Amino acid sequence: MEPIVSVSHVKKSYQKRKDKTVVKAVDDISFQVHKGEIVGLLGPNGAGKTTTIKMICGLLKPNQGTIKIQGLDNSKHRLKSLKHISAVLEGNRNLYWRLTVRENLEYFAGNRGKSKKQVKDQIDYLLELFHLKMKEHELVNRLSRGMQQKLAIAVAMLADTEVILLDEPTLGLDVETSYEVRDILKKIVRDEARTIIISSHDMAVIQAVCERVIIVNNGKIVTDNRVEDLIALFDARQYTITLGQPLIHRQITQLKACFSNFEYESEQLKPKLVVELLSAEQIYQVFDILKKNETPVEDINRNTINFEQVFIKIIKGETGHANHSSLSSKSSKASN
C-alpha cells in the first residue's frame, strides 16, 4: 500500500542571528504514514518536532529531502498536495473569534470552494458529533477553551481531507473534555478511515488514541513503533517490596551490586525496596539477600509502566533497543 504521507531524508537548518552559527533542527529523518493510521509525532522541546510538522503542512521548505502527500511533493506541487491535508496548529488559533460556531464552519468550507448549501448536512453532523449543537449560534470568543478546541478540530474535518494534523489537541482541556476529544478522534479513524497525525505532550492521550508513535530527538528519529510494542519492550519486571524492618548496610551494597535500577526508601514507617529485574529468576537473588538478615517481607507488588515512562526512557537513551524497534516497525509495514 502506498503511504499517504511520506517523509524522505529531510533536513532543515537555521542560522542564528547573533553568532551566525548553523543549527540542525531536523537531521535526515524519514518515515511513512498510511491511510487509516493514527500516529503520534513526539519529542521534547527543541527536538525538531515542530519544524517537521510545519514542513509537512507546507509552512516551511526543507533544505534537503522530500515530503509527499498522496504522492505529491509538497515543495514542487504545494497547493495540490495541501488539498489532501488539514491542520489544527497551536490549539484553537485557526478560528475567527467574532464569528459564531456555525459561521466559522461555513466560512472555512467557503475557503475550500464549498457553498453553505453543500455543507449544511455535514455541518449539522459535526455539530452533533462534537456536542456543539447547543452553541451553534454562540460567538467563538464566548466559548470555553474545550469547545473552541473541539470546533477547531471540526473545522479541520470539514475540509474532507484524507489527512488531519493536530498539534496539541487536548492542551488546556479539562479531564472530561479531553476524554471526549479522544473518543471523537478514535471514531473519526474508525468510521471515516481518516489518517490522523497528533503532536502532543499529553502522553495519556497518545497511549489512549495512537496505534503508533514516531519520537524525534536532536533532529533525528529515535524510535518508530507501535505503542503497545514499546510498552511491552520497556515493561521491565519492576517490583516494590514493603519490608518489616530496615535493610542493613551490607544488604544495600549487595542489592546495588546486583541491580542497576535499585531504590531504597527507608525514611518512612515501612521501608520500601524498588528493584527492576532483567529476568524473572532474579527475584530469587533479592530474596536471598533479604534472607541473610532475616528481613521480613510484608508486601510485594509488580509495578506497571505507562507510555509517559516509556517516552522518558527513550529520550534519555536508557535502552539500546530504540533503533531495533524502528526497524521492526518499518519491516512490518513493508510486509503488509
Side-chain angles (χ1 to χ4, degrees):
M1 184 193 305
E2 285 294 318
I4 197 165
V5 176
S6 177
V7 177
S8 299
H9 300 291
V10 168
K11 295 183 179 182
K12 183 67 178 179
S13 299
Y14 296 99
Q15 191 176 59
K16 290 184 178 180
R17 290 182 180 180
K18 291 183 179 180
D19 55 11
K20 304 298 182 182
T21 57
V22 175
V23 177
K24 290 182 179 179
V26 174
D27 187 12
D28 194 17
I29 68 170
S30 299
F31 63 87
Q32 297 179 343
V33 180
H34 292 76
K35 183 178 180 180
E37 278 195 290
I38 183 162
V39 176
L41 181 59
L42 313 177
N45 293 333
K49 174 192 62 181
T50 301
T51 301
T52 301
I53 290 168
K54 289 182 176 179
M55 287 191 291
I56 293 172
C57 294
L59 299 174
L60 290 175
K61 283 189 176 182
N63 299 128
Q64 185 177 317
T66 58
I67 297 174
K68 293 182 179 180
I69 303 169
Q70 281 289 53
L72 296 166
D73 188 325
N74 74 348
S75 291
K76 297 177 181 178
H77 308 285
R78 185 175 182 276
L79 293 179
K80 286 185 178 179
S81 68
L82 294 182
K83 285 182 179 179
H84 299 283
I85 189 168
S86 54
V88 179
L89 298 178
E90 299 180 26
N92 50 22
R93 294 186 183 180
N94 64 329
L95 301 175
Y96 281 104
W97 287 38
R98 295 190 179 276
L99 294 179
T100 67
V101 170
R102 181 175 282 274
E103 286 170 345
N104 264 276
L105 290 164
E106 291 172 345
Y107 173 80
F108 285 104
N111 281 353
R112 295 267 181 172
K114 298 178 181 180
S115 68
K116 291 182 182 180
K117 186 177 180 181
Q118 285 177 304
V119 295
K120 182 183 181 304
D121 290 344
Q122 192 176 3
I123 287 176
D124 288 338
Y125 165 74
L126 290 172
L127 290 173
E128 292 289 349
L129 176 64
F130 285 89
H131 302 146
L132 292 168
K133 185 66 177 175
M134 297 289 289
K135 299 288 185 179
E136 65 176 314
H137 300 301
E138 190 84 33
L139 293 177
V140 168
N141 62 1
R142 295 179 183 173
L143 298 178
S144 68
R145 173 64 184 264
M147 288 188 175
Q148 290 171 357
Q149 194 79 324
K150 289 193 292 182
L151 178 58
I153 299 171
V155 166
M157 279 194 64
L158 189 60
D160 270 340
T161 58
E162 297 95 325
V163 183
I164 302 173
L165 199 155
L166 303 175
D167 185 19
E168 298 291 355
T170 59
L171 183 66
L173 302 188
D174 59 61
V175 174
E176 183 179 354
T177 307
S178 177
Y179 274 99
E180 186 181 343
V181 169
R182 295 184 204 183
D183 291 339
I184 289 170
L185 295 178
K186 287 188 281 189
K187 179 178 174 61
I188 290 169
V189 173
R190 183 182 68 244
D191 296 349
E192 302 187 26
R194 302 281 189 107
T195 302
I196 299 179
I197 301 173
I198 299 178
S199 168
S200 179
H201 285 92
D202 189 340
M203 296 301 147
V205 170
I206 297 299
Q207 184 171 348
V209 172
C210 295
E211 302 166 350
R212 172 178 153 227
V213 291
I214 299 163
I215 299 178
V216 181
N217 196 24
N218 296 321
K220 295 180 178 291
I221 292 176
V222 292
T223 194
D224 176 355
N225 208 336
R226 291 174 58 84
V227 171
E228 62 182 36
D229 291 343
L230 285 173
I231 290 175
L233 179 68
F234 286 91
D235 189 17
R237 296 174 176 87
Q238 188 183 75
Y239 292 87
T240 297
I241 303 172
T242 303
L243 305 174
Q245 67 185 41
L247 297 174
I248 62 174
H249 179 73
R250 182 164 57 89
Q251 288 175 308
I252 295 172
T253 302
Q254 289 175 330
L255 287 165
K256 284 182 178 179
C258 293
F259 307 101
S260 56
N261 291 321
F262 160 78
E263 296 176 21
Y264 176 53
E265 302 171 6
S266 60
E267 296 179 3
Q268 50 188 327
L269 186 61
K270 296 289 184 180
K272 288 188 177 180
L273 166 68
V274 180
V275 63
E276 191 170 296
L277 312 180
L278 296 178
S279 65
E281 291 74 19
Q282 281 192 310
I283 192 67
Y284 298 115
Q285 287 181 264
V286 177
F287 288 129
D288 285 342
I289 294 170
L290 295 178
K291 186 179 179 181
K292 288 177 181 178
N293 197 48
E294 297 184 352
T295 305
V297 174
E298 297 199 352
D299 190 28
I300 181 168
N301 287 295
R302 181 169 178 173
N303 302 336
T304 57
I305 192 167
N306 59 35
F307 189 71
E308 183 174 8
Q309 294 167 303
V310 169
F311 176 77
I312 292 169
K313 285 177 179 288
I314 291 173
I315 294 303
K316 287 184 176 180
E318 292 185 6
T319 177
H321 293 289
N323 291 332
H324 296 300
S325 65
S326 176
L327 290 172
S328 67
S329 173
K330 290 172 185 175
S331 62
S332 65
K333 282 288 178 188
S335 64
N336 286 340

